[in-house]
Amino acid sequence: MFKFFKGFNKNVTIDDLKSFVEKIKRVYKDKYEGDEVVLSCIKDATVLCGLASASDEYGAICIGKLKNKPGYIVSLGGTDLVNAEENLGIKEDILSAFNQDNEYKKNAIKAILKAIPKGEDVYIYGLSLGGMVLQQVIADINIKVNYDIKAAVAIGSPITDVNRQKIVFIEDVNDVVPSLSAKSMLLSRIYRRYDTHIKRNGNYKTFIGAHALSYADSDVWNDVDIFGIINGANSLVIDLNNFVSFKG
């Protein structure tokens, strides 16, 4: 709890808040133009995961066929308290944080099984709540048996499940969310050794800014490639003609 309040700067002004809102509007796309989108760094993955919240056209679960590699990409969006049609609220945050069954997880698994042929390579990304659900999804036996998870990256998310392959966690040091789960709070030293954790300081004035903007900031994350490798050169190209979404 101390860390939660430590991340809040009392000197934040109304102008800071207005600037924050404008940055949100600029950073998160409501749609992609053209026939393809190139993802080369963590910022690109964050924007893809945020597409569901910024757009009226897409659900929380987006699945696209890749053009530059065999396989598919899956993105899982974060908490959305506005859209009542999707299971992206506080209930899912709490259930997933304690690694409990929830509708978002079920819908994500169902969407993957429906949209991606068995035996395909899968690259999966999750933002905030989506990163918690990501861990539950790749731990599911139906996903383990039917797909080869080539990359799994959780952005601004706490540890919820370790009964799965190792993944990459992207974290801003001023973001409290990566600490808000039973495993992250109680057994962080043990569980954090299992995965790769990349931490940066985006120098945002509040934990809200760190959570909502840092991960979409090229200046902070442009040297971390789309697989979560520092100074890597990997990229993924999505075929937008084969891009679908499902409700979370």
Side-chain angles (χ1 to χ4, degrees):
M1 187 62 72
F2 171 74
K3 184 176 180 181
F4 180 84
F5 288 106
K6 184 178 179 181
F8 187 81
N9 188 331
K10 293 181 180 179
N11 296 320
V12 174
T13 66
I14 294 296
D15 287 339
D16 289 328
L17 295 177
K18 288 180 179 178
S19 174
F20 174 79
V21 172
E22 288 304 314
K23 285 181 180 179
I24 287 286
K25 291 179 180 178
R26 289 198 303 270
V27 165
Y28 290 97
K29 297 178 180 292
D30 60 355
K31 63 180 179 179
Y32 287 114
E33 304 290 346
D35 294 325
E36 66 180 38
V37 57
V38 179
L39 309 175
S40 58
C41 67
I42 288 305
K43 179 213 74 172
D44 299 328
T46 301
V47 173
L48 176 65
C49 291
L51 189 66
S53 297
S55 172
D56 294 328
E57 299 180 24
Y58 297 102
I61 304 155
C62 291
I63 299 176
K65 186 172 178 56
L66 296 173
K67 294 185 73 171
N68 66 326
K69 296 178 182 292
Y72 291 75
I73 188 169
V74 177
S75 70
L76 304 175
T79 305
D80 187 347
L81 301 178
V82 177
N83 192 345
E85 295 182 357
E86 297 196 87
N87 297 290
L88 305 175
I90 300 302
K91 176 183 176 183
E92 284 67 37
D93 277 306
I94 294 172
L95 289 173
S96 57
F98 285 91
N99 199 26
Q100 299 298 304
D101 213 15
N102 60 85
E103 292 303 311
Y104 190 178
K105 167 196 167 185
K106 292 178 183 177
N107 289 339
I109 292 170
K110 188 185 302 182
I112 292 170
L113 292 171
K114 180 179 180 179
I116 304 177
K118 293 178 181 179
E120 290 280 359
D121 296 341
V122 173
Y123 302 79
I124 185 167
Y125 297 82
L127 175 63
S128 192
L129 169 60
M132 293 193 283
V133 171
L134 174 154
Q135 297 166 67
Q136 295 182 298
V137 167
I138 65 174
D140 182 82
I141 187 63
N142 292 299
I143 301 300
K144 284 183 174 181
V145 168
N146 289 307
Y147 302 105
D148 186 0
I149 306 296
K150 291 294 188 180
V153 180
I155 303 165
S157 309
I159 304 165
T160 57
D161 194 325
V162 292
N163 184 31
R164 39 111 181 124
Q165 69 183 68
K166 296 181 179 181
I167 66 176
V168 177
F169 285 86
I170 303 297
E171 303 166 356
D172 189 293
V173 297
N174 293 313
D175 181 9
V176 67
V177 175
S179 300
L180 297 181
S181 76
K183 289 182 173 62
S184 291
M185 289 188 288
L186 301 177
L187 298 167
S188 61
R189 289 187 179 180
I190 295 174
Y191 287 114
R192 283 180 174 273
R193 293 175 183 174
Y194 182 72
D195 299 293
T196 296
H197 292 261
I198 302 177
K199 292 187 176 184
R200 297 283 170 82
N201 187 347
N203 293 309
Y204 286 89
K205 291 187 176 182
T206 68
F207 57 83
I208 298 173
H211 188 65
L213 285 174
S214 174
Y215 306 114
D217 190 331
S218 294
D219 292 336
V220 183
W221 301 101
N222 63 356
D223 66 327
V224 183
D225 77 7
I226 196 64
F227 290 178
I229 299 174
I230 298 174
N231 295 323
N234 297 289
S235 65
L236 296 174
V237 181
I238 303 174
D239 179 2
L240 291 180
N241 296 309
N242 289 283
F243 186 74
V244 294
S245 71
F246 302 85
K247 292 181 180 179

